[in-house]
């Protein structure tokens, strides 16, 4: 390992590059059964990397593609080293990895190691009896007795994040098992050395198959308190999950060691990475789990409203929590949250929502850290409108007033490739409907329009490739004297004089023009606009100040 991780690590692909999340069910359906598949992804790699029409990004992360009974759409894994037949075969997977690598795209898999499906052979064996080799692979406990009303008491007060108790009674074993999510997703017992060894085998298997990294699903729940102590109560908001302090059902002292073992194994092969999905909204926790060579999502930007000041405050807070050496992973949308075009622009005219989506894209793709894009956001894709009652998403179907849940189907709709029937996504009936506006909001249509959201993403991504400061540079927030404008400079790390150049980014979140003061470009010459959402005078030189149009995003260089 390098002696100076803060600087050397900024040249690793997973820090300088951009990751694109694919939700495989909704990306491209090659065989017409209405469900996206690996062959479909392979057919559409040109959208992502390699050619002139590519976005381009540096890696794809596939949400789970393993065999699964789909109680949580793939996040309930029944075989960690196989491919669900609906997505294809291992041979299809190898072909996809090969085709991706040929285009310079890395492949990241989603590893769901906190729990398995209840249909996983490990769980089927575990529930079959108390004296087989798998008996302690899950978290089993006796009931401590019955309540006065005769109900079986649970081992402690832990809740499932998806509603109800975290404990499910199993008649066969005459015991409870623990599940942080659905009862169909029993939690593995990470205190068993056999479980830890099996997990390491899974990681090794995929590394040997050529994958470049892993997203670690809810990694900070792997370990639970050894004595299974009840969580202390607290005054919460709506939803019983928030009525406890989650002291004992996650973030246990044994976790860092287990995490280090996984990371060491991943690091044993050059160029591999992990990104941890933090199961919590805490910046401080995200900072604590980051290692110089790895990433952790922190969800700061997911919960912000459309406000330059809110983003500014969040960036300041995160810089303080992360310090100069921890590299952030930036994300605005994923398969669990409402799409950000809808979040930032819900109810506004189409043009305004698209304009905000472009400003958001400029932010995501120029801010210090690794950007994670969510398929469809490059079109400005909105949420689907699907009432909870018609939802396929299990927690939404289980939702009650005490366990509210939003409908994740809304963010999981198919991407449209063309205006054709089925949106070029499928010849059959899509598993979730296409967006109502797919005839105009699709890849082919937007590619033909220089003013589209897609064209803007392409220009941003290409510029990012050309300007090293936008990839690995430090970031200095500017005091610009305008509440609606977020502006910063990206440049070589302090004390370094490499050939990174410098970039000025100015984002007007507001609906009125705004004039801002800007610092001198490090070159001593003026800043030159490289990209703007608006027309700017040719050969414009920016010195001292610049006036931004309403909802203008401007990226200039000057180093
Ligand atoms: C986090 C995943 O992002 C989410 O989609 C899933 O439901 C839970 N983990 C449970 O696996
Ligand atoms: Ca299919």
């Amino acid at each position: 390992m390098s002696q100076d991780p803060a600087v050397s690590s900024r040249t690793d692909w997973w820090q300088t590059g951009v990751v694109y999340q694919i939700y495989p069910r909704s990306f491209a359906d090659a065989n017409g059964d209405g469900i996206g598949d690996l062959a479909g992804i392979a057919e559409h790699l040109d959208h992502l990397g390699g050619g002139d029409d590519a976005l381009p990004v540096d890696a794809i992360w596939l949400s789970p593609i393993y065999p699964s009974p789909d109680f949580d759409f793939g996040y309930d894994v029944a075989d960690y080293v196989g491919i669900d037949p609906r997505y294809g075969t291992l041979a299809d997977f190898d072909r996809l990895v090969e085709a991706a690598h040929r285009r310079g795209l890395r492949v990241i898999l989603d590893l769901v190691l906190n729990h398995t499906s209840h249909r996983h052979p490990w769980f089927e064996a575990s529930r079959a009896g108390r004296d087989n080799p798998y008996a302690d692979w899950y978290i089993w406990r006796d009931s401590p007795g019955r309540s006065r009303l005769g109900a079986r008491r649970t081992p402690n007060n832990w809740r499932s994040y998806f509603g109800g108790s975290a404990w499910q009674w199993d008649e066969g074993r005459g015991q409870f098992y623990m599940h942080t999510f659905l009862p169909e997703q029993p939690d593995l017992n990470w205190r068993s050395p056999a479980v830890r060894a099996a997990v390491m085998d899974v990681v090794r298997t995929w590394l040997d198959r050529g994958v470049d990294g892993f997203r670690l699903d809810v990694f900070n729940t792997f370990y639970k308190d050894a004595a299974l102590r009840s969580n202390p109560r607290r005054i919460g908001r709506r939803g019983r999950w928030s009525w406890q302090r989650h002291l004992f059902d996650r973030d246990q002292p044994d976790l860092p060691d287990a995490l280090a073992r996984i990371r060491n194994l991943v690091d044993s092969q050059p160029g591999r990475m992990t990104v941890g999905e933090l199961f919590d909204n805490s910046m401080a926790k995200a900072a604590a789990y980051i290692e110089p060579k790895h990433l952790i999502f922190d969800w700061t930007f997911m919960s912000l409203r459309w406000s330059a000041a809110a983003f500014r405050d969040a960036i300041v807070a995160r810089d303080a929590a992360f310090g100069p050496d921890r590299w952030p992973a930036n994300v605005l949308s994923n398969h669990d949250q409402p799409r950000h075009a809808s979040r930032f622009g819900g109810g506004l005219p189409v043009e305004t929502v698209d304009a905000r989506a472009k400003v958001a894209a400029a932010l995501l793709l120029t801010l210090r850290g690794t950007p994670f894009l969510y398929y469809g956001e490059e079109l400005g894709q909105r949420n689907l409108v699907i009432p909870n009652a018609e939802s396929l998403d299990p927690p939404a179907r289980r939702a009650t007033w005490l366990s509210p849940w939003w409908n994740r189907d809304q963010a999981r709709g198919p991407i449209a490739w063309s205006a054709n029937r089925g949106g070029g996504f499928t010849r059959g009936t899509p598993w979730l409907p296409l967006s109502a506006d797919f005839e105009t909001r699709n890849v082919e249509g937007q590619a033909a329009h220089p003013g589209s959201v897609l064209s803007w993403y392409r220009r941003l991504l290409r510029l990012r490739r050309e300007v090293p400061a936008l990839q690995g540079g430090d970031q200095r927030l500017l005091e610009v004297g305008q509440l609606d404008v977020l502006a910063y400079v990206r440049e070589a790390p302090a004390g370094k004089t490499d050939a990174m150049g410098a970039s000025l980014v100015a984002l007007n979140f507001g609906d009125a023009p705004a004039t801002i003061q800007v610092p001198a470009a490090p070159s001593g010459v003026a800043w030159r606009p490289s990209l703007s959402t608006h027309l700017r005078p040719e050969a414009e030189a920016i010195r001292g100040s610049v006036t931004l149009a309403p909802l203008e995003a401007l990226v200039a260089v000057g180093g």
Side-chain angles (χ1 to χ4, degrees):
M1 171 145 323
S2 149
Q3 298 187 326
D4 190 356
V7 175
S8 73
S9 58
R10 292 168 194 217
T11 58
D12 282 318
W13 70 264
W14 48 269
Q15 293 195 295
T16 57
V18 177
V19 183
Y20 182 99
Q21 180 187 357
I22 292 179
Y23 194 69
R25 288 183 81 87
S26 292
F27 198 65
D29 169 25
N31 67 355
D33 66 356
I35 297 175
D37 43 49
L38 297 182
I41 297 172
E43 279 170 16
H44 288 84
L45 287 179
D46 285 346
H47 176 59
L48 303 170
D52 287 348
D53 290 342
L55 276 168
V57 296
D58 299 85
I60 51 175
W61 143 31
L62 306 177
S63 278
I65 49 174
Y66 319 102
S68 165
D70 269 357
F71 282 83
D72 191 18
F73 290 105
Y75 285 91
D76 49 323
V77 177
D79 172 7
Y80 282 119
V81 292
I83 301 292
D84 193 293
R86 287 164 303 174
Y87 294 134
T89 61
L90 279 168
D92 291 324
F93 179 76
D94 291 341
R95 268 193 291 275
L96 174 61
V97 172
E98 206 263 322
H101 284 170
R102 231 182 309 124
R103 288 170 173 79
L105 293 166
R106 267 91 172 187
V107 179
I108 299 173
L109 285 190
D110 211 320
L111 276 186
V112 191
L113 302 175
N114 175 69
H115 46 269
T116 68
S117 158
H118 66 315
R119 304 252 172 88
H120 195 295
W122 297 345
F123 187 71
E124 287 178 341
S126 191
R127 82 189 319 180
R130 299 189 192 197
D131 55 3
N132 68 64
Y134 294 93
D136 69 343
W137 279 42
Y138 294 82
I139 303 171
W140 293 98
R141 282 298 181 282
D142 294 332
S143 167
R146 299 223 176 228
S147 70
R148 264 185 292 147
L149 294 175
R152 237 181 227 112
R153 289 200 291 126
T154 53
N156 62 25
N157 70 352
W158 295 355
R159 311 288 307 170
S160 154
Y161 188 61
F162 285 165
S165 167
W167 295 98
Q168 175 74 24
W169 181 253
D170 185 78
E171 280 300 340
R173 242 178 96 138
Q175 283 186 307
F176 282 104
Y177 66 84
M178 194 254 157
H179 57 94
T180 304
F181 298 94
L182 296 173
E184 293 84 6
Q185 294 169 294
D187 281 35
L188 282 163
N189 173 20
W190 273 71
R191 295 188 181 281
S192 150
V195 165
R196 294 199 300 274
V199 159
M200 295 299 260
D201 280 345
V202 170
V203 174
R204 209 172 288 116
T205 301
W206 288 113
L207 287 175
D208 291 347
R209 244 195 149 94
V211 311
D212 302 282
F214 303 101
R215 170 206 183 252
L216 300 176
D217 190 77
V218 296
F219 72 93
N220 57 318
T221 51
F222 291 173
Y223 278 89
K224 283 77 180 170
D225 177 49
L228 300 185
R229 280 171 283 180
S230 279
N231 284 323
R233 291 177 200 289
R234 64 165 204 172
I235 312 269
R237 296 179 303 271
R238 200 174 144 216
R240 291 183 65 175
W241 176 264
S242 70
W243 300 359
Q244 302 185 351
R245 289 177 60 211
H246 291 275
L247 283 192
F248 297 121
D249 50 358
R250 61 185 181 192
D251 301 305
Q252 295 305 298
D254 318 75
L255 175 65
D257 181 57
L259 214 49
R261 282 170 202 274
I262 296 179
R263 287 168 163 176
N264 285 339
L265 178 55
V266 171
D267 289 346
S268 69
Q269 305 199 17
R272 316 296 171 99
M273 55 81 83
T274 66
V275 53
E277 188 216 14
L278 187 72
F279 183 47
D280 201 349
N281 262 336
S282 155
M283 235 182 237
K285 252 187 214 177
Y289 283 121
I290 297 182
E291 287 273 316
K293 271 198 62 64
H294 295 268
L295 298 170
I296 302 282
F297 288 125
D298 102 88
W299 305 118
T300 311
F301 302 145
M302 286 281 205
S303 53
L304 298 183
R305 62 203 158 79
W306 186 250
S307 149
F311 274 91
R312 194 193 156 77
D313 291 350
I315 293 166
V316 169
R318 195 171 68 178
D319 284 352
F322 277 39
D325 296 347
R326 295 184 185 84
W327 193 252
N330 293 322
V331 51
L332 292 177
S333 285
N334 66 20
H335 62 291
D336 288 328
Q337 299 297 327
R339 285 186 175 271
H340 68 260
S342 298
R343 258 184 9 241
F344 292 146
L348 296 173
V350 174
E351 300 72 31
T352 311
V353 183
D354 282 352
R356 288 189 175 188
K358 288 181 187 172
V359 176
L363 174 79
L364 184 60
L365 291 170
T366 63
L367 208 56
R368 178 180 180 272
T370 304
F372 281 72
L373 306 182
Y374 183 53
Y375 83 100
E377 75 168 72
E378 71 273 34
L379 304 177
Q381 197 161 324
R382 323 288 206 251
N383 285 337
L384 287 175
V385 181
I386 299 180
N388 257 15
E390 290 165 29
S391 167
L392 302 175
D393 182 29
R397 296 161 69 96
R398 288 159 62 100
T400 62
W401 193 84
L402 280 175
S403 294
W405 191 264
W406 92 278
N407 180 353
R408 296 181 297 179
D409 292 354
Q410 295 173 52
R412 297 177 176 180
I415 186 171
W417 297 98
S418 69
N420 298 342
R421 199 173 149 267
F425 164 72
T426 184
R427 319 189 280 279
T429 308
W431 76 286
L432 279 177
L434 285 147
S435 300
D437 61 356
F438 84 89
E439 286 177 348
T440 50
R441 197 173 294 284
N442 59 66
V443 173
E444 198 177 277
Q446 288 205 11
H449 286 285
S452 67
V453 179
L454 176 60
S455 298
W456 176 244
Y457 268 81
R458 287 180 172 174
R459 290 164 67 201
L460 279 168
L461 282 156
R462 285 170 196 167
L463 182 69
R464 210 189 132 90
R465 285 231 165 141
E466 284 164 19
V467 182
L470 288 176
Q471 303 164 18
D474 273 357
Q475 176 171 288
R476 187 158 43 93
L477 281 176
L478 302 178
E479 295 294 340
V480 291
Q482 288 279 1
L483 217 54
D484 275 341
V485 176
L486 179 66
Y488 42 89
V489 168
R490 301 287 313 277
E491 61 200 342
K496 304 278 157 189
T497 50
D498 51 19
M500 264 194 167
S503 184
L504 165 75
V505 181
L507 309 171
N508 186 0
F509 281 55
D511 299 327
T515 300
I516 60 165
Q517 308 305 312
V518 299
S523 60
V525 192
W527 296 103
R528 301 268 170 203
S530 296
L531 276 188
S532 166
T533 45
H534 291 61
L535 283 180
R536 300 200 72 89
E538 241 176 80
E540 183 184 4
I542 298 173
R543 279 193 197 84
S545 71
V546 63
T547 299
L548 300 170
L551 286 173
E552 177 171 0
L554 169 68
V555 187
V557 291

